[in-house]
Amino acid sequence: MKKLKMPGTDRIARVGWLKANEWLLLRRASQLFILGLFLIGPVADIWIVKGNLASSLTLDTLALTDPYVLLQSLFAGHMMQATAIIGALIVLIFYLLVGGRVYCSWVCPINIITDTANWLRKKLDIKGQGLRFSLKTGYWLLAMTLILAFITKTIAWELVNPVSMVYRGILYGMGSAWLMVLAIFMFDLFVSRRGWCSHLCPVGIFYGLLGSKSILRITAMNREQCNDCMDCFSVCPEPQVIKPALKILTEDKNPLIQSGRCTNCARCIDVCDQNVFSFTTRFNKQDGMHLHQQKEIMP
Amino acid sequence: MTEASQKSGAMSRRQFLSDTAKTACGVSLFGFGLGMYSQQARSLPPLAVRPPGALAEDEFASACIRCGLCVRDCPYDTLKLGRFGDDVLTGTPYFTARDVPCEMCDDIPCLKACPTGALDPELEIIDDARMGLAALIDQETCLNFQGLRCEVCYRICPLIEEAITLDLQHNQRSGDHAFFIPVVHSDACTGCGKCEHACVLPEAAIKVMPRKLAKGKSAEHYRLGWEEKQKAGGSLVNPDVQHEYNLPAGVEYEHGGRGLIEEKVEAVPFSGNPLDTLKQHKADLQ
């Protein structure tokens, strides 16, 4: 059997590794920078941001709260104080601007773990999907966490939520949270391809709901350049979102990736040797090349 | 519609239903497990104390979003967050009084930091906090119960003479001394845990516990006669009749005093002064 070709090989050959991974590197920088902002407090006693992703206080003025946790708390029967509600609204508006699942690809620490697992999966030449979950599973899980909060009167999901657990662990003490990280890594590596982030995690699904309405989007603007190398499908954590835009299957035929499940990770931009993809807003439905990109393509 | 497409439609419907059922079952099973775990995990271990102003444990579990801002603003590093695998609900704040007690800051910074109201902002005076209740649970090892004058718990109490008082009792073992028994008063004790922290024993004899554990409750209908009497300003029933004792002639009974007095025996009590006894003996010989 033919060994899997690593996506992005062509673009790396043409523009170099750095340029062909720039969005990935930016994302990693963003994820680590945000973690660093939190971490510099307990480590170096420089308090820029306090708290964790559930709720934080920046420079003693900006209070932010995770709207998903707030929603769970509401289902559990607690009406929060204004501080938390305003903080959650700010977060909501932010993700409505930049894309809901920007949380997943630019902030969430688990993303680094599952991306690594998936990369290793390709390196180890593990083929196929493995354990298969319906793409709807996450919605069920999201509903389950809210119903469970309502029944148990506890924010039950936060007992096991790996996303908050890892952040809290790094900032306040890990306990057995490492086991959870290891479990997710192993799960994505050996059990189910892209199992956690793309199929199960209710946090991602929640932010994905915001993402379906958000402003900043990826567009397959130069789709007529596509040479069907499949690199974007191979690298995309949610490959099903690309097809309607790339293959002109939407009703209004526009090249925007419209699904809220797109994480705006921009790996498709990184790996595409034909510069099909770029960032734009949801209002820009035009097809065709940007001028500056034309220059880059023509040798 | 052709027969073939009808057939494939039927298949995909079957597929859809079985997929949906599979997912629903899986998710429900997971939810059931998580629900059971959450119910088990929410019982706070006895020696974990919540920060001041924390809502009752049931409400707390729905209100605290486990952000740790209270932990960050605690100037004495008293508070910590329950870690995954600990007994305390994952991510919720608590402290262990024996390790680091609450210093009862006047401005209650932990409570001010809470964005959700899980630490109730209505608590304005730290003395009104009820984090738990100290209970002197081991009388066998408490030094004051042995008649010694330790009293460290009493001296260290931020509400000395209100939350802990010393109750004087007769020390029958030595006959001459008093026991200074530390008594915790639940109407004043905040549960800060300074007493437990300061207890000189290798294992504290006084411990802060959730109030539900540490406090008994009298039956609703119980009334204490002497209290009711004081409230009413006089006896609520007919005045007690002076009790008359049926005793043989020459014998008396003094209630609340010498007890049974048999006047026939004119015992000469030994005087505390040994010289008197010697003199008495001399007088008897003469």
Side-chain angles (χ1 to χ4, degrees):
Chain A
M1 256 168 124
K2 202 179 78 180
K3 210 168 156 52
L4 283 174
K5 188 188 105 185
M6 291 305 272
T9 314
D10 295 343
R11 182 137 199 264
I12 291 172
R14 193 167 60 84
V15 297
W17 187 87
L18 206 62
K19 178 79 182 149
N21 283 292
E22 62 179 349
W23 287 106
L24 177 67
L25 294 172
L26 274 174
R27 279 197 309 120
R28 292 289 175 262
S30 157
Q31 285 161 328
L32 296 175
F33 175 71
I34 293 168
L35 183 61
L37 282 182
F38 281 102
L39 202 56
I40 198 169
V43 169
D45 209 23
I46 301 167
W47 295 99
I48 300 166
V49 188
K50 283 192 272 194
N52 58 30
L53 290 182
S55 194
S56 64
L57 186 63
T58 305
L59 296 171
D60 281 325
T61 42
L62 178 64
L64 298 174
T65 299
D66 180 0
Y68 176 43
V69 180
L70 185 123
L71 193 65
Q72 291 176 74
S73 174
L74 197 66
F75 270 79
H78 179 75
M79 190 62 206
M80 297 223 172
Q81 268 173 233
T83 325
I85 296 171
I86 294 166
L89 281 176
I90 297 171
V91 173
L92 272 179
I93 291 166
F94 175 76
Y95 284 114
L96 278 174
L97 291 176
V98 301
R101 291 195 68 192
V102 159
Y103 179 88
C104 299
S105 55
W106 292 77
V107 179
C108 179
I110 296 288
N111 171 267
I112 304 177
I113 293 151
T114 57
D115 272 359
T116 310
N118 189 53
W119 174 82
L120 197 60
R121 198 181 164 88
K122 281 194 185 115
K123 279 278 171 200
L124 296 176
D125 215 16
I126 301 172
K127 293 194 176 75
Q129 167 63 41
L131 186 60
R132 201 174 270 280
F133 294 98
S134 147
L135 283 171
K136 296 194 182 78
T137 314
Y139 296 99
W140 285 87
L141 277 166
L142 175 64
M144 185 275 286
T145 61
L146 295 178
I147 294 167
L148 203 62
F150 182 74
I151 294 173
T152 62
K153 301 277 165 242
T154 312
I155 309 179
W157 169 245
E158 290 303 309
L159 286 173
V160 292
N161 180 1
V163 180
S164 48
M165 195 177 289
V166 166
Y167 239 76
R168 208 185 307 114
I170 293 170
L171 298 172
Y172 295 93
M174 264 294 183
S176 322
W178 285 117
L179 291 176
M180 188 67 98
V181 176
L182 189 69
I184 286 184
F185 182 77
M186 290 303 181
F187 179 76
D188 267 27
L189 179 57
F190 294 119
V191 182
S192 177
R193 181 179 170 271
R194 295 255 180 222
W196 179 254
C197 293
S198 300
H199 293 86
L200 299 178
C201 179
V203 183
I205 293 291
F206 173 83
Y207 280 96
L209 294 178
L210 300 181
S212 57
K213 305 278 174 288
S214 60
I215 307 287
L216 188 69
R217 310 209 82 87
I218 302 258
T219 173
M221 192 178 266
N222 297 333
R223 53 193 170 186
E224 66 264 36
Q225 299 284 326
C226 175
N227 60 2
D228 291 326
C229 73
M230 301 299 282
D231 275 5
C232 57
F233 286 99
S234 167
V235 85
C236 180
E238 300 276 357
Q240 77 281 3
V241 308
I242 297 178
K243 201 172 172 188
L246 191 62
K247 296 297 164 195
I248 323 184
L249 298 172
T250 54
E251 274 175 31
D252 54 0
K253 295 188 167 37
N254 80 53
L256 287 175
I257 291 178
Q258 288 169 337
S259 169
R261 294 185 72 143
C262 171
T263 69
N264 277 3
C265 73
R267 278 300 276 159
C268 51
I269 305 180
D270 270 349
V271 298
C272 180
D273 198 32
Q274 303 300 318
N275 292 336
V276 168
F277 300 97
S278 54
F279 271 117
T280 186
T281 67
R282 68 181 299 122
F283 311 112
N284 176 14
K285 291 176 179 166
Q286 94 192 70
D287 234 319
M289 288 185 231
H290 285 308
L291 285 173
H292 67 275
Q293 278 173 339
Q294 249 170 340
K295 262 183 242 154
E296 199 191 327
I297 290 168
M298 288 193 275
Chain B
M1 226 183 242
T2 63
E3 209 183 348
S5 76
Q6 266 178 342
K7 207 174 173 184
S8 83
M11 279 303 286
S12 77
R13 187 179 304 130
R14 178 172 298 173
Q15 188 70 38
F16 170 78
L17 285 175
S18 91
D19 274 1
T20 307
K22 238 190 282 177
T23 312
C25 284
V27 169
S28 315
L29 260 178
F30 176 64
F32 178 71
L34 183 56
M36 295 303 280
Y37 173 58
S38 80
Q39 290 309 295
Q40 230 169 31
R42 71 187 302 171
S43 54
L44 193 67
L47 288 184
V49 188
R50 292 286 186 211
L55 299 174
E57 200 52 28
D58 279 0
E59 296 170 66
F60 193 77
S62 70
C64 172
I65 57 172
R66 301 105 206 259
C67 65
L69 282 169
C70 51
V71 175
R72 288 291 180 244
D73 279 8
C74 174
Y76 299 97
D77 289 338
T78 300
L79 294 175
K80 47 196 174 179
L81 290 186
R83 299 173 310 173
F84 183 57
D86 287 353
D87 288 342
V88 181
L89 216 54
T90 311
T92 55
Y94 73 102
F95 67 95
T96 312
R98 188 64 168 164
D99 300 338
V100 194
C102 172
E103 296 288 340
M104 286 175 56
C105 314
D106 279 334
D107 52 346
I108 330 181
C110 52
L111 187 146
K112 296 242 167 70
C114 180
T116 70
L119 305 180
D120 192 351
E122 281 180 23
L123 178 75
E124 281 168 357
I125 302 161
I126 188 65
D127 290 355
D128 294 339
R130 294 292 178 264
M131 295 171 261
L133 181 60
L136 206 166
I137 50 174
D138 191 10
Q139 308 188 349
E140 290 175 336
T141 50
C142 171
L143 294 177
N144 273 34
F145 266 91
Q146 317 314 312
L148 304 169
R149 297 288 307 268
C150 162
E151 293 157 31
V152 168
C153 55
Y154 164 78
R155 302 271 164 217
I156 201 101
C157 179
L159 295 170
I160 183 171
E161 276 303 317
E162 288 174 58
I164 303 184
T165 56
L166 293 177
D167 188 13
L168 263 60
Q169 287 174 16
H170 176 55
N171 183 343
Q172 275 183 321
R173 182 181 55 76
S174 77
D176 288 339
H177 302 92
F179 287 127
F180 289 71
I181 303 297
V183 178
V184 180
H185 299 275
S186 63
D187 55 349
C189 175
T190 64
C192 72
K194 294 207 78 169
C195 51
E196 181 183 342
H197 181 247
C199 180
V200 300
L201 300 176
E203 183 72 45
I206 188 166
K207 287 190 167 83
V208 173
M209 293 187 287
R211 291 182 86 83
K212 216 168 76 181
L213 266 186
K215 188 92 185 91
K217 191 185 174 197
S218 338
E220 296 283 335
H221 62 280
Y222 275 21
R223 300 288 181 272
L224 298 175
W226 54 93
E227 281 182 2
E228 298 303 315
K229 197 169 167 180
Q230 205 174 12
K231 267 190 245 167
S235 184
L236 293 164
V237 291
N238 293 333
D240 288 345
V241 181
Q242 186 68 42
H243 187 77
E244 286 179 26
Y245 298 95
N246 261 333
L247 296 167
V251 180
E252 276 181 51
Y253 187 82
E254 196 180 303
H255 178 72
R258 284 177 294 166
L260 203 63
I261 303 159
E262 293 179 64
E263 288 184 353
K264 270 183 284 180
V265 186
E266 285 185 21
V268 180
F270 284 102
S271 162
N273 184 352
L275 276 177
D276 291 343
T277 315
L278 285 173
K279 281 179 198 154
Q280 183 63 43
H281 189 59
K282 215 171 170 184
D284 284 350
L285 287 176
Q286 280 167 356

